[in-house]
Amino acid sequence: LKFGLARKPQSGIMGCIQSHGPQGGPQEPSRKKGGKQVTEEEREEWLDQLRYEGLDSLDSMPDQLRSDKVFFLAAVRIKGFALRQASEELKADRELVFAAVQENGIAIQYAANMWKLDREIILQAVQKSGYLLNLADSKLQSDREVVLAAVQESGLALQFAATDLKSDREVVLQAVQQSGLALEFAGPDLRSDRELVLTAIKNCGLALAHVDGTLKLDQELVLAAVSGRGFKSIQSLISASLFSDREFVLALVRLDGDALEHAAEQVRSDPEIQLAAAAQLDSRAERCEGQKKRRRRRGNLRGQPLTMHDI
């Protein structure tokens, strides 16, 4: 009497994602032509190496494992970059590429070029890293939904958008809200849009460098830039004519007393402006001293030696 051995049930992560063949039954372990089959135990061992030792641990993996889709579906869900170790055939597998991009959008750089034309994959990628819009086909760089997703994640991705979308107010507004410096890549008409420019400057004062037209003389915009970045960062972007304007200089020195020395002579000698500058510098000195005292207290509590900044 012959007895058949019961098949051991799948366990662990591999049992959860096993691929199925055309008839719906489980596939046999992968086998490279002329090579030995890959067992579940081997897959689990290499997945453990990936988890605990990182991507470089896969450099020495056997060739037959590089063509094992079941293994790589599990691997890219741990680290999307594992796609780089897959065979060329698997890099052309849409299911695997999509899974890798879901874990890490930048993994698309290891996918076959054909998938850089795939709208769903590119949309998934730019939601993870907007800058990946630069890898997209020009048709997708003209896709408003794709571009919106990209600039919401990284405003500077606006530079890779189609020209007409760079003049789309909603797209540009989303971009400058994420990064004021995206104003550089906006259409000329939008770089003269005061409301949009103010949004960009409030996000990053250095956006003042990309403002068009008379808005460069707009005192509110300039003061907003100084308030966000400090006078020294913005100084070179301020029109020389503004340093002769008494009301502007008064507001400026209230933000940063150091600006007084750059004012026109007749304005610099104004008593009210001098007092405002001195008050701001005194206030700043008091704040610095307070910060030093707090650092000294923390250092004493932790038993740490004082640094030059604490003295």
Side-chain angles (χ1 to χ4, degrees), residues 122-165:
I122 288 294
L123 186 57
Q124 182 70 42
V126 299
Q127 287 172 343
K128 297 284 187 179
S129 177
Y131 219 75
L132 293 172
L133 186 62
N134 74 316
L135 296 181
D137 179 72
S138 59
K139 182 178 179 180
L140 294 176
Q141 291 174 342
S142 299
D143 186 309
R144 192 170 186 274
E145 183 184 357
V146 171
V147 172
L148 268 173
V151 300
Q152 285 170 348
E153 199 286 324
S154 174
L156 294 176
L158 183 64
Q159 64 188 290
F160 306 116
T163 302
D164 61 321
L165 290 179

Side-chain angles (χ1 to χ4, degrees), residues 46 48-59 79:
W46 283 99
D48 281 341
Q49 287 196 51
L50 176 62
R51 289 187 190 98
Y52 304 118
E53 299 178 28
L55 287 168
D56 290 343
S57 67
L58 299 185
D59 288 345
K79 291 187 183 294

Side-chain angles (χ1 to χ4, degrees), residues 1-298:
L1 182 64
K2 295 183 178 180
F3 294 89
L5 294 177
R7 186 170 183 175
K8 184 179 179 181
Q10 293 282 355
S11 61
I13 189 171
M14 301 310 304
C16 296
I17 66 166
Q18 186 174 21
S19 301
H20 289 78
Q23 303 303 318
Q27 290 182 325
E28 291 299 316
S30 298
R31 179 195 299 271
K32 186 178 179 182
K33 293 180 181 179
K36 70 173 185 176
Q37 68 180 23
V38 178
T39 66
E40 181 184 353
E41 289 73 22
E42 288 177 309
R43 291 181 182 127
E44 290 289 354
E45 287 176 6
W46 283 99
L47 288 175
D48 281 341
Q49 287 196 51
L50 176 62
R51 289 187 190 98
Y52 304 118
E53 299 178 28
L55 287 168
D56 290 343
S57 67
L58 299 185
D59 288 345
S60 58
M61 69 190 306
D63 287 342
Q64 64 268 22
L65 201 56
R66 296 183 189 278
S67 299
D68 188 297
K69 181 176 176 179
V70 176
F71 168 78
F72 272 101
L73 277 173
V76 298
R77 286 167 183 160
I78 298 170
K79 291 187 183 294
F81 274 15
L83 183 64
R84 79 181 187 190
Q85 299 287 5
S87 66
E88 294 304 313
E89 181 181 359
L90 288 184
K91 288 177 181 177
D93 185 286
R94 190 181 189 281
E95 180 186 10
L96 180 61
V97 170
F98 191 79
V101 170
Q102 280 186 310
E103 199 285 321
N104 189 326
I106 303 175
I108 195 173
Q109 66 183 305
Y110 301 116
N113 287 333
M114 58 195 280
W115 301 126
K116 295 169 187 176
L117 308 176
D118 186 297
R119 186 180 187 277
E120 187 179 8
I121 288 178
I122 288 294
L123 186 57
Q124 182 70 42
V126 299
Q127 287 172 343
K128 297 284 187 179
S129 177
Y131 219 75
L132 293 172
L133 186 62
N134 74 316
L135 296 181
D137 179 72
S138 59
K139 182 178 179 180
L140 294 176
Q141 291 174 342
S142 299
D143 186 309
R144 192 170 186 274
E145 183 184 357
V146 171
V147 172
L148 268 173
V151 300
Q152 285 170 348
E153 199 286 324
S154 174
L156 294 176
L158 183 64
Q159 64 188 290
F160 306 116
T163 302
D164 61 321
L165 290 179
K166 291 178 180 179
S167 293
D168 183 310
R169 193 176 191 281
E170 183 184 354
V171 170
V172 175
L173 183 59
Q174 293 287 331
V176 299
Q177 284 176 336
Q178 202 286 322
S179 172
L181 293 177
L183 186 65
E184 177 183 359
F185 308 108
D189 54 328
L190 293 180
R191 293 200 299 272
S192 298
D193 181 318
R194 189 179 188 281
E195 182 182 356
L196 189 145
V197 166
L198 182 57
T199 299
I201 286 175
K202 285 182 175 179
N203 176 275
C204 179
L206 294 175
L208 185 64
H210 308 301
V211 173
D212 275 356
T214 58
L215 289 183
K216 288 188 175 180
L217 298 175
D218 188 305
Q219 295 185 15
E220 182 185 356
L221 295 180
V222 175
L223 291 171
V226 173
S227 178
R229 293 289 301 193
F231 173 71
K232 289 184 179 179
S233 297
I234 305 299
Q235 177 189 342
S236 63
L237 304 177
I238 301 176
S239 172
S241 63
L242 290 177
F243 288 108
S244 297
D245 186 299
R246 182 185 184 281
E247 295 307 314
F248 172 77
V249 173
L250 180 59
L252 183 61
V253 298
R254 284 172 175 164
L255 293 174
D256 191 328
D258 287 329
L260 179 63
E261 64 180 283
H262 300 278
E265 185 175 352
Q266 69 274 19
V267 177
R268 192 165 61 241
S269 59
D270 185 298
E272 184 181 2
I273 290 177
Q274 290 180 342
L275 285 173
Q280 195 282 327
L281 292 172
D282 287 344
S283 175
R284 186 169 67 189
E286 289 175 4
R287 289 197 303 272
C288 290
E289 184 60 31
Q291 290 171 355
K292 288 180 181 180
K293 288 179 179 178
R294 286 192 291 274
R295 282 198 295 267
R296 282 196 290 267
R297 283 198 295 268
R298 286 197 296 268

